[in-house]
Amino acid sequence: MNGHTQQQNRTKQTSQMRKPNVHETINPSILYYGTPVIILSTLNKDGSTNLSPLSSSWALGDCLVLGIGTQGRAYENLCHHPECVINLPDESMWGKVETLGRTTGISPVPEIKKRMGYTFCQDKFKAAGLTPQSSLQVAPDKIAECPLQIEASVQHIRTPEHTPFMAIVEVKAVKVHAHTHLISEVNKIDPEQWQPLIYNFRHYFGLGERQGENFRAGR
Ligand SMILES: Cc1cc2nc3c(=O)[nH]c(=O)nc-3n(C[C@H](O)[C@H](O)[C@H](O)COP(=O)(O)O)c2cc1C
Protein backbone atom coordinates (compact mmCIF):
# COMPACT_ATOMS: atom_id res chain seq x y z
CA MET A 1 0.00 0.00 0.00
CA ASN A 2 1.49 3.39 -0.93
CA GLY A 3 1.69 6.35 1.42
CA HIS A 4 -1.19 8.17 -0.29
CA THR A 5 -3.61 5.22 0.11
CA GLN A 6 -2.53 4.74 3.73
CA GLN A 7 -3.26 8.42 4.40
CA GLN A 8 -6.70 8.11 2.71
CA ASN A 9 -7.53 5.05 4.85
CA ARG A 10 -6.49 6.85 8.01
CA THR A 11 -8.62 9.87 7.09
CA LYS A 12 -11.59 7.54 6.39
CA GLN A 13 -11.07 5.72 9.72
CA THR A 14 -10.80 8.99 11.66
CA SER A 15 -14.02 10.39 10.18
CA GLN A 16 -15.84 7.08 10.86
CA MET A 17 -14.58 7.07 14.46
CA ARG A 18 -16.05 10.51 15.01
CA LYS A 19 -19.56 9.40 13.96
CA PRO A 20 -21.51 8.56 17.10
CA ASN A 21 -22.79 4.99 17.62
CA VAL A 22 -21.18 3.50 14.49
CA HIS A 23 -19.63 0.12 15.28
CA GLU A 24 -17.85 -2.65 13.43
CA THR A 25 -17.73 -6.28 14.58
CA ILE A 26 -14.10 -7.21 15.25
CA ASN A 27 -12.06 -10.16 16.48
CA PRO A 28 -9.42 -8.65 18.79
CA SER A 29 -6.47 -10.76 19.98
CA ILE A 30 -6.52 -9.01 23.37
CA LEU A 31 -9.38 -7.80 25.54
CA TYR A 32 -7.53 -5.87 28.25
CA TYR A 33 -10.03 -3.02 28.30
CA GLY A 34 -8.40 -0.95 31.03
CA THR A 35 -8.12 -2.28 34.57
CA PRO A 36 -5.72 -1.37 37.40
CA VAL A 37 -2.40 -3.18 37.58
CA ILE A 38 -1.67 -5.16 40.73
CA ILE A 39 1.56 -6.87 41.74
CA LEU A 40 0.76 -10.12 43.51
CA SER A 41 3.10 -11.33 46.25
CA THR A 42 3.04 -15.11 46.78
CA LEU A 43 5.23 -17.41 48.85
CA ASN A 44 7.91 -19.51 47.18
CA LYS A 45 8.65 -22.95 48.64
CA ASP A 46 11.98 -21.63 50.05
CA GLY A 47 10.13 -18.94 52.04
CA SER A 48 11.06 -16.05 49.69
CA THR A 49 8.41 -13.91 47.97
CA ASN A 50 7.58 -14.04 44.26
CA LEU A 51 6.06 -11.00 42.49
CA SER A 52 3.67 -11.28 39.53
CA PRO A 53 2.06 -8.30 37.73
CA LEU A 54 -1.63 -8.92 36.97
CA SER A 55 -4.41 -6.80 35.53
CA SER A 56 -7.27 -9.28 35.89
CA SER A 57 -8.83 -8.51 39.24
CA TRP A 58 -11.91 -7.05 40.83
CA ALA A 59 -13.02 -6.27 44.36
CA LEU A 60 -16.44 -6.32 46.02
CA GLY A 61 -16.40 -5.66 49.74
CA ASP A 62 -13.56 -7.72 51.19
CA CYS A 63 -13.81 -10.33 48.41
CA LEU A 64 -11.32 -10.03 45.55
CA VAL A 65 -11.17 -12.18 42.44
CA LEU A 66 -7.95 -12.68 40.47
CA GLY A 67 -7.42 -14.20 37.01
CA ILE A 68 -4.12 -16.08 37.08
CA GLY A 69 -2.38 -18.16 34.38
CA THR A 70 -1.79 -21.77 35.46
CA GLN A 71 1.65 -21.83 33.77
CA GLY A 72 3.12 -19.29 36.18
CA ARG A 73 4.74 -19.28 39.62
CA ALA A 74 1.89 -17.29 41.24
CA TYR A 75 -0.62 -20.09 40.56
CA GLU A 76 1.73 -22.80 41.79
CA ASN A 77 2.57 -20.84 44.92
CA LEU A 78 -1.09 -20.12 45.78
CA CYS A 79 -1.98 -23.81 45.43
CA HIS A 80 0.84 -24.62 47.85
CA HIS A 81 0.46 -21.69 50.30
CA PRO A 82 -2.98 -19.96 50.25
CA GLU A 83 -1.94 -16.44 51.18
CA CYS A 84 -0.95 -13.40 49.12
CA VAL A 85 -0.58 -9.62 49.06
CA ILE A 86 -2.26 -7.51 46.40
CA ASN A 87 0.13 -4.58 45.98
CA LEU A 88 -1.22 -1.66 43.96
CA PRO A 89 1.47 0.38 42.15
CA ASP A 90 0.71 3.96 41.18
CA GLU A 91 1.05 5.31 37.66
CA SER A 92 4.71 6.31 38.20
CA MET A 93 5.68 2.65 38.71
CA TRP A 94 4.89 1.37 35.22
CA GLY A 95 8.58 0.82 34.36
CA LYS A 96 9.05 -1.46 37.37
CA VAL A 97 5.89 -3.37 36.44
CA GLU A 98 7.18 -3.79 32.89
CA THR A 99 10.53 -5.11 34.20
CA LEU A 100 8.66 -7.71 36.27
CA GLY A 101 6.31 -8.48 33.40
CA ARG A 102 9.13 -10.02 31.32
CA THR A 103 10.03 -12.53 34.02
CA THR A 104 8.69 -15.65 35.70
CA GLY A 105 9.58 -17.31 38.97
CA ILE A 106 9.31 -20.76 37.34
CA SER A 107 12.49 -22.62 36.44
CA PRO A 108 12.91 -24.12 33.95
CA VAL A 109 10.70 -21.64 32.09
CA PRO A 110 7.72 -23.57 30.57
CA GLU A 111 8.05 -23.88 26.77
CA ILE A 112 4.92 -21.76 26.16
CA LYS A 113 6.30 -18.91 28.32
CA LYS A 114 9.76 -19.23 26.75
CA ARG A 115 8.22 -18.76 23.29
CA MET A 116 6.52 -15.60 24.57
CA GLY A 117 9.92 -14.22 25.66
CA TYR A 118 9.78 -14.72 29.46
CA THR A 119 13.00 -15.34 31.38
CA PHE A 120 13.50 -16.83 34.85
CA CYS A 121 14.06 -14.45 37.78
CA GLN A 122 14.78 -15.65 41.32
CA ASP A 123 14.73 -12.27 43.11
CA LYS A 124 12.06 -10.06 41.58
CA PHE A 125 12.37 -7.35 44.26
CA LYS A 126 16.01 -6.86 43.31
CA ALA A 127 15.34 -7.08 39.56
CA ALA A 128 12.75 -4.27 39.70
CA GLY A 129 14.42 -2.17 42.43
CA LEU A 130 11.60 -2.77 44.92
CA THR A 131 11.82 -3.10 48.72
CA PRO A 132 10.36 -6.07 50.63
CA GLN A 133 8.34 -5.24 53.74
CA SER A 134 7.05 -7.85 56.23
CA SER A 135 3.29 -8.39 56.18
CA LEU A 136 1.29 -8.45 59.40
CA GLN A 137 -1.03 -11.41 58.83
CA VAL A 138 0.28 -13.34 55.85
CA ALA A 139 3.64 -14.89 55.02
CA PRO A 140 4.53 -13.24 51.65
CA ASP A 141 6.24 -9.83 51.87
CA LYS A 142 4.53 -6.62 50.74
CA ILE A 143 6.12 -4.06 48.40
CA ALA A 144 7.09 -0.91 50.32
CA GLU A 145 6.85 1.35 47.23
CA CYS A 146 3.21 0.40 46.48
CA PRO A 147 0.86 2.99 48.03
CA LEU A 148 -1.88 0.40 48.64
CA GLN A 149 -1.24 -3.12 49.94
CA ILE A 150 -3.94 -5.70 50.66
CA GLU A 151 -3.00 -8.80 52.63
CA ALA A 152 -5.36 -11.62 51.69
CA SER A 153 -6.12 -15.28 52.26
CA VAL A 154 -7.17 -17.61 49.44
CA GLN A 155 -10.72 -18.96 49.75
CA HIS A 156 -11.19 -20.85 46.49
CA ILE A 157 -9.27 -21.69 43.31
CA ARG A 158 -11.18 -22.82 40.24
CA THR A 159 -9.98 -23.67 36.75
CA PRO A 160 -12.84 -23.12 34.26
CA GLU A 161 -13.40 -25.97 31.79
CA HIS A 162 -13.46 -23.61 28.81
CA THR A 163 -10.06 -22.01 29.72
CA PRO A 164 -8.00 -24.56 31.67
CA PHE A 165 -4.89 -22.35 31.35
CA MET A 166 -6.45 -19.65 33.56
CA ALA A 167 -7.50 -19.97 37.19
CA ILE A 168 -10.14 -17.90 38.97
CA VAL A 169 -8.82 -17.26 42.46
CA GLU A 170 -11.11 -15.87 45.17
CA VAL A 171 -9.36 -14.20 48.09
CA LYS A 172 -10.51 -12.41 51.25
CA ALA A 173 -8.81 -9.16 52.32
CA VAL A 174 -7.54 -9.49 55.89
CA LYS A 175 -5.45 -6.31 56.28
CA VAL A 176 -5.27 -3.14 54.19
CA HIS A 177 -2.34 -0.69 54.30
CA ALA A 178 -2.28 2.74 52.66
CA HIS A 179 0.53 5.29 52.33
CA THR A 180 -0.38 8.09 54.74
CA HIS A 181 -0.63 10.69 51.96
CA LEU A 182 -3.62 8.76 50.54
CA ILE A 183 -5.64 8.79 53.75
CA SER A 184 -8.06 11.73 53.89
CA GLU A 185 -9.85 10.79 57.11
CA VAL A 186 -9.98 7.67 59.27
CA ASN A 187 -10.37 4.58 57.07
CA LYS A 188 -10.91 6.62 53.86
CA ILE A 189 -8.74 6.78 50.74
CA ASP A 190 -8.69 10.19 49.03
CA PRO A 191 -9.49 9.49 45.35
CA GLU A 192 -7.84 12.82 44.39
CA GLN A 193 -4.53 11.47 45.72
CA TRP A 194 -4.70 7.83 44.56
CA GLN A 195 -3.34 7.45 41.04
CA PRO A 196 -3.80 3.81 39.95
CA LEU A 197 -1.83 2.40 37.04
CA ILE A 198 -4.24 1.32 34.31
CA TYR A 199 -3.44 -1.45 31.80
CA ASN A 200 -5.25 -0.42 28.63
CA PHE A 201 -4.88 -2.88 25.69
CA ARG A 202 -1.27 -3.56 26.84
CA HIS A 203 -0.45 0.14 27.25
CA TYR A 204 0.09 1.83 30.61
CA PHE A 205 -2.04 4.83 31.57
CA GLY A 206 -2.80 6.91 34.64
CA LEU A 207 -6.17 8.51 35.26
CA GLY A 208 -7.13 11.62 33.34
CA GLU A 209 -9.12 14.44 34.89
CA ARG A 210 -11.88 13.40 37.29
CA GLN A 211 -15.20 13.42 35.41
CA GLY A 212 -17.69 13.07 38.28
CA GLU A 213 -18.55 10.97 41.29
CA ASN A 214 -20.92 8.21 42.33
CA PHE A 215 -23.84 9.22 44.62
CA ARG A 216 -22.26 7.13 47.44
CA ALA A 217 -18.72 8.57 47.01
CA GLY A 218 -18.77 10.57 50.26
CA ARG A 219 -20.00 7.71 52.50
C1 LIG B 1 0.67 -5.22 33.23
C2 LIG B 1 0.58 -6.72 33.20
C3 LIG B 1 -0.61 -7.35 33.44
C4 LIG B 1 -0.70 -8.75 33.46
N1 LIG B 1 -1.89 -9.34 33.76
C5 LIG B 1 -1.94 -10.68 33.96
C6 LIG B 1 -3.12 -11.30 34.46
O1 LIG B 1 -4.13 -10.64 34.73
N2 LIG B 1 -3.10 -12.64 34.66
C7 LIG B 1 -1.99 -13.40 34.40
O2 LIG B 1 -2.00 -14.61 34.61
N3 LIG B 1 -0.86 -12.83 33.90
C8 LIG B 1 -0.79 -11.49 33.70
N4 LIG B 1 0.36 -10.92 33.25
C9 LIG B 1 1.50 -11.77 32.89
C10 LIG B 1 2.28 -12.25 34.12
O3 LIG B 1 2.79 -11.15 34.84
C11 LIG B 1 3.43 -13.15 33.65
O4 LIG B 1 2.87 -14.36 33.21
C12 LIG B 1 4.49 -13.42 34.69
O5 LIG B 1 5.45 -14.28 34.12
C13 LIG B 1 3.95 -14.08 35.95
O6 LIG B 1 5.03 -14.32 36.83
P1 LIG B 1 5.14 -15.71 37.62
O7 LIG B 1 5.21 -16.83 36.59
O8 LIG B 1 6.41 -15.60 38.39
O9 LIG B 1 3.92 -15.81 38.46
C14 LIG B 1 0.46 -9.52 33.19
C15 LIG B 1 1.67 -8.88 32.91
C16 LIG B 1 1.73 -7.50 32.93
C17 LIG B 1 3.05 -6.82 32.65
Side-chain angles (χ1 to χ4, degrees), residues 91-110:
E91 60 184 18
S92 73
M93 293 176 70
W94 77 267
K96 292 184 187 297
V97 168
E98 186 54 17
T99 300
L100 293 173
R102 295 157 190 259
T103 67
T104 176
I106 293 237
S107 174
V109 180

Side-chain angles (χ1 to χ4, degrees), residues 32 37 50-57 67-69 71-75 97-98 100-106 113 118 124 166 199 204:
Y32 299 148
V37 174
N50 185 57
L51 301 177
S52 315
L54 306 177
S55 63
S56 308
S57 82
I68 304 184
Q71 296 280 339
R73 173 58 73 196
Y75 174 73
V97 168
E98 186 54 17
L100 293 173
R102 295 157 190 259
T103 67
T104 176
I106 293 237
K113 289 194 82 134
Y118 289 98
K124 300 220 194 155
M166 281 289 165
Y199 201 41
Y204 298 99

Side-chain angles (χ1 to χ4, degrees), residues 54-67:
L54 306 177
S55 63
S56 308
S57 82
W58 53 259
L60 197 58
D62 64 358
C63 170
L64 288 90
V65 177
L66 314 171

